[in-house]
Amino acid sequence: LSPVLSSHSHLSSSMVAARLLSSAMAMTTLARPAPSVFFLPGLTQRPVYDKSLPQFSWVKEVERNFEVIRDEYLRMIDKGLSDTYVEDGDHKLHSGKWGWFNYVDHGVKMEKFRSHCPTTARVLDDIPDLMHGVPFSFSFFSTLSPGSHIGAHTSPSNVRVRCHLPLFVPDGCGMQVGGESVRWKEGECLVFDDSYVHEVYHNGRGELDKAFYPHALQPDVSVAEAGSSGGRGKREVTVDTMKASGYRSLLLFDMWHWEIDAEERRAITNMLVKK
C-alpha cells in the first residue's frame, strides 16, 4: 500500500484499505457487499439476516405494535402527509410512483412525523441501535404503486443494517438482495444488508380508480380533496381500501451494525458529518 499512501497522504491507511477493498468487491460477480462510499472491513455480513438472532431482540416489540403502526400509517395517508413523491423520470433508479413520510431524514429526526405517528416514533426510538445523526440514516413510511420498479443499487456504507416492517403486501411485488429473492409478509420484520446489490419490483395491479388514490403518494392532498376533485364524496382510507388499491406499503428503518461499538460509531459520525 505504500505507493498508494504516498499519493494520498491525507488519508489514513485504514481508509485507503477500505476504499481499495470496496472497489475490488464491486468488480466480482459473487454476491458480496459493495457500498458506494465507505466500506468497513471485518463485519459479519449476509444479504438477509435471521431476525431471531439475539442482536435483533427488538424485532418482537416492533412486530407486537404492527397494528398500531399500520393504523398510524393509514391516518397519515388519510391526511395526505406523504412528504416526498417520485414519479417516472424524477430519479434514474425509479420507474412508477413512490412516496414516503420521513421520521429520520438524512440523519435528522422529524418532529412532524412524531406528532402524527407517536407510537411508531416511540417504537423506533426504543431500538437500541437505531441509526440517526449520520447523513445516510433513514426511517420512513414507504408507499410503492403497482407497476413500479426501484433499480439495482447499493447503500453508501456497510455500517448500517436495514429493516422493513411490511404493512400492505399485494401480489406481484418483492425484492432481490444479493441474488436472493425475498417476499415480504405483512407484520413480519425483514432484516437485511442493503450494501449488497438489491432492487425492488411491484408487478401487481390495483382495483381502485386513479381519481381516488393518487393522493396516497402526493403531499398535501387529503382524501376529501382527492374525492372532491374527482366529483366523488370522501372515501375513508381503511385496511380494505388500502388492500384494494394495490399499493405496497412498509415502515423502513436503519440501524447501526451491531458489531460497531460506541467509540467507532462516534468516529464514523465525525468523519461523515460536516462541521
Side-chain angles (χ1 to χ4, degrees):
L1 290 177
S2 55
V4 176
L5 288 175
S6 65
S7 62
H8 298 274
S9 57
H10 63 291
L11 297 174
S12 68
S13 59
S14 60
M15 281 289 290
V16 173
R19 291 187 179 183
L20 288 176
L21 185 56
S22 179
S23 298
M25 286 185 167
M27 292 185 292
T28 182
T29 58
L30 297 175
R32 298 186 186 279
S36 60
V37 177
F38 174 70
F39 181 85
L40 184 65
L43 298 177
T44 300
Q45 293 188 259
R46 54 183 53 86
V48 180
Y49 294 103
D50 179 355
K51 67 177 183 179
S52 67
L53 293 173
Q55 58 264 35
F56 306 129
S57 59
W58 45 264
V59 162
K60 292 181 179 179
E61 181 65 10
V62 173
E63 293 181 347
R64 188 179 70 82
N65 283 276
F66 164 69
E67 291 188 0
V68 178
I69 292 171
R70 185 178 63 181
D71 287 345
E72 290 187 342
Y73 167 80
L74 291 173
R75 288 197 294 272
M76 179 273 296
I77 291 292
D78 191 54
K79 296 175 182 177
L81 292 174
S82 181
D83 55 14
T84 308
Y85 179 61
V86 176
E87 289 191 274
D88 284 326
D90 288 347
H91 194 291
K92 63 182 180 181
L93 282 177
H94 307 149
S95 61
K97 297 181 176 66
W98 183 25
W100 57 96
F101 184 42
N102 297 299
Y103 179 40
V104 178
D105 183 10
H106 291 88
V108 180
K109 290 185 177 181
M110 302 286 106
E111 289 305 313
K112 178 182 177 181
F113 183 101
R114 187 191 302 277
S115 66
H116 290 284
C117 307
T119 299
T120 304
R122 176 189 61 76
V123 170
L124 291 174
D125 286 338
D126 286 346
I127 298 172
D129 294 326
L130 183 72
M131 181 179 267
H132 58 91
V134 180
F136 49 71
S137 53
F138 298 89
S139 299
F140 55 83
F141 283 127
S142 169
T143 308
L144 193 68
S145 69
S148 298
H149 179 254
I150 302 173
H153 62 289
T154 65
S155 66
S157 179
N158 66 325
V159 300
R160 77 183 186 194
V161 174
R162 177 157 285 187
C163 182
H164 288 170
L165 175 66
L167 306 176
F168 294 97
V169 182
D171 293 335
C173 64
M175 181 169 61
Q176 290 272 341
V177 185
E180 295 185 22
S181 295
V182 179
R183 287 297 309 272
W184 297 286
K185 296 181 180 179
E186 293 179 4
E188 297 185 17
C189 285
L190 172 67
V191 185
F192 66 101
D193 186 336
D194 68 336
S195 68
Y196 288 83
V197 174
H198 60 288
E199 64 181 307
V200 173
Y201 61 89
H202 187 349
N203 300 325
R205 302 178 62 182
E207 297 175 4
L208 292 183
D209 59 82
K210 293 182 180 179
F212 167 61
Y213 219 79
H215 80 280
L217 296 177
Q218 298 172 4
D220 304 321
V221 181
S222 69
V223 172
E225 292 169 328
S228 61
S229 66
R232 298 169 176 80
K234 175 176 178 178
R235 296 196 217 176
E236 184 181 3
V237 178
T238 65
V239 170
D240 288 340
T241 57
M242 192 67 193
K243 287 181 180 294
S245 75
Y247 281 80
R248 185 238 59 188
S249 308
L250 54 81
L251 174 65
L252 175 154
F253 51 96
D254 294 326
M255 296 144 294
W256 285 98
H257 192 288
W258 65 94
E259 293 175 344
I260 302 175
D261 63 28
E263 182 178 355
E264 291 173 316
R265 294 178 188 186
R266 284 192 296 269
I268 293 169
T269 300
N270 290 335
M271 178 182 68
L272 296 173
V273 175
K274 294 181 180 179
K275 300 299 183 182

